[in-house]
Amino acid sequence: MNPNPTLTSVLENGALVLDATTCEGKWMSCPRKFYHYKVRKREAAKFYAGREFGKAIHVALDALRLGGDYLSALDSAFPIDMPMEDHRGLDYARQLVKKYADEFASESYATVFHNSKPMLEMGFAHPIGSVTLDSLTIPVIWEGKIDRVVRDQTGRLFVLDYKTSIIAGETWWQTFKRSTQQEGYAFVVSAILNEPVHGFIIDGLFTRKPTKTGKGMEVERRIFPLELDDLKRWQTNTLNVCSDLLRACATEQFNEHTSQCMTKFGPCEYLQVCSLSSEAMRNALLRSDEYQNVTWRPTE
């Protein structure tokens, strides 16, 4: 089998290199979205305030765990393009990070060191197996960036992830019970350190707009236990998903999941493209200034 250009476009040195955001947020959400992002390599040319706010918070929390001046780190990392009307300004961010620092001042988890380096904001690209596509055997490399790897007081391993969210509540927490991202982190850490990972920890930093009667910012931590069978199941399921993904690339069949065109978070970034009637019009819009080249990699 000679790989066609679409299949070749998603491979790097013959391997499929994939991250949780692209797999879960693109392919598993809507194969057509994956096509625009991973094959055409175009994304909306848009400033995402929540995402940029979250990046700055991550920088501050890393500095906090390293014993540095986390407020100065936040000041330097805070996006200058944050809209004036957004309540998540720099002062709000400083209050949020202080609240987190106070909440976990007596931290019971210790950061793990590997090869003499703290496992903080740890980028990785790790093989998780391979899939067979006709006569091709294609290795799968899982990549990402783990916020923190820790041990509890008994020495058990956990992965810890910071999540900023303007949405809070029990439904939000329930979305992590079968998280492709978190289980993938645990699988990779277990493979790197050659010992079991007992679960993942989510530190939620909730950024709701303050009101007179409602809750504003909050900080909460929850622990999600994992067993070895959970990680084996993640590996099997992920490789099966990758097999479906590669088959779609080989046949150039990318179905549209129209239920994802409009969600509670708003319209899909490719809704304008998919709404056009001709391929020529869709290609022209993707090449326009409305979209830009995808440059993000979790390892960079």
Side-chain angles (χ1 to χ4, degrees):
M1 173 181 170
N2 294 317
N4 65 26
T6 299
L7 178 59
T8 302
S9 72
V10 302
L11 301 180
E12 298 181 25
N13 297 319
L16 174 65
V17 182
L18 201 61
D19 62 275
T21 299
T22 305
C23 179
E24 196 169 32
K26 302 293 191 298
W27 169 256
M28 295 171 70
S29 171
C30 176
R32 179 60 60 170
K33 182 190 295 187
F34 172 88
Y35 169 77
H36 293 318
Y37 183 86
K38 187 71 172 179
V39 177
R40 301 298 303 278
K41 296 178 173 53
R42 298 289 280 176
E43 63 179 347
K46 179 180 176 182
F47 179 84
Y48 292 94
R51 182 172 65 188
E52 299 306 315
F53 179 90
K55 287 180 181 179
I57 296 296
H58 274 68
V59 170
L61 297 184
D62 287 340
L64 171 67
R65 291 302 165 212
L66 290 171
D69 185 348
Y70 60 90
L71 291 180
S72 293
L74 174 65
D75 294 345
S76 299
F78 199 79
I80 60 174
D81 296 331
M82 200 71 177
M84 293 293 294
E85 65 273 13
D86 197 303
H87 69 277
R88 295 166 298 183
L90 179 56
D91 288 342
Y92 185 98
R94 289 172 66 92
Q95 293 176 45
L96 180 64
V97 174
K98 286 180 182 178
K99 187 176 184 66
Y100 180 93
D102 291 342
E103 182 74 20
F104 300 112
S106 300
E107 178 63 87
S108 59
Y109 293 94
T111 301
V112 174
F113 280 69
H114 180 59
N115 293 333
S116 301
K117 295 181 180 180
M119 298 179 81
L120 292 170
E121 289 294 315
M122 185 192 79
F124 66 85
H126 194 84
I128 64 168
S130 61
V131 298
T132 301
L133 182 66
D134 296 333
S135 61
L136 292 176
T137 298
I138 301 176
V140 177
I141 310 297
W142 197 253
E143 67 174 5
K145 182 175 285 187
I146 299 172
D147 290 344
R148 192 179 174 207
V149 181
V150 299
R151 293 189 189 277
D152 67 8
Q153 292 175 322
T154 67
R156 298 184 305 167
L157 271 178
F158 292 83
V159 292
L160 189 154
D161 206 23
Y162 310 123
K163 295 292 186 185
T164 58
S165 175
I166 205 166
I167 297 173
E170 197 59 32
T171 300
W172 184 86
W173 284 110
Q174 292 302 315
T175 61
F176 294 101
K177 283 196 172 291
R178 292 297 310 280
S179 169
T180 296
Q181 181 187 52
Q182 303 304 323
E183 291 183 358
Y185 287 170
F187 180 93
V188 169
V189 169
S190 180
I192 291 174
L193 298 180
N194 195 29
E195 61 178 292
V197 172
H198 291 269
F200 59 90
I201 301 165
I202 300 295
D203 282 356
L205 294 89
F206 301 111
T207 59
R208 292 169 297 201
K209 188 174 183 178
T211 65
K212 292 182 178 179
T213 56
K215 293 181 180 179
M217 65 178 66
E218 289 184 282
V219 174
E220 185 178 351
R221 169 175 288 174
R222 292 200 187 182
I223 303 170
F224 297 81
L226 289 172
E227 303 289 342
L228 179 60
D229 285 347
D230 294 321
L231 302 188
K232 290 181 178 178
R233 180 176 58 181
W234 174 87
Q235 181 187 30
T236 299
N237 186 67
T238 301
L239 290 174
N240 287 338
V241 168
C242 290
S243 179
D244 292 341
L245 182 160
L246 290 168
R247 176 64 60 185
C249 292
T251 59
E252 300 186 332
Q253 296 295 318
F254 298 93
N255 296 325
E256 297 181 357
H257 291 176
T258 54
S259 63
Q260 298 302 305
C261 292
M262 182 67 72
T263 70
K264 63 182 179 180
F265 300 106
C268 170
E269 64 183 298
Y270 302 106
L271 179 58
Q272 295 183 79
V273 176
C274 294
S275 298
L276 295 173
S277 59
S278 75
E279 186 70 18
M281 294 170 67
R282 292 191 288 270
N283 287 336
L285 181 53
L286 271 179
R287 291 194 298 266
S288 76
D289 291 342
E290 293 286 319
Y291 292 87
Q292 62 189 7
N293 290 334
V294 173
T295 58
W296 176 82
R297 292 291 294 266
T299 53
E300 296 174 356

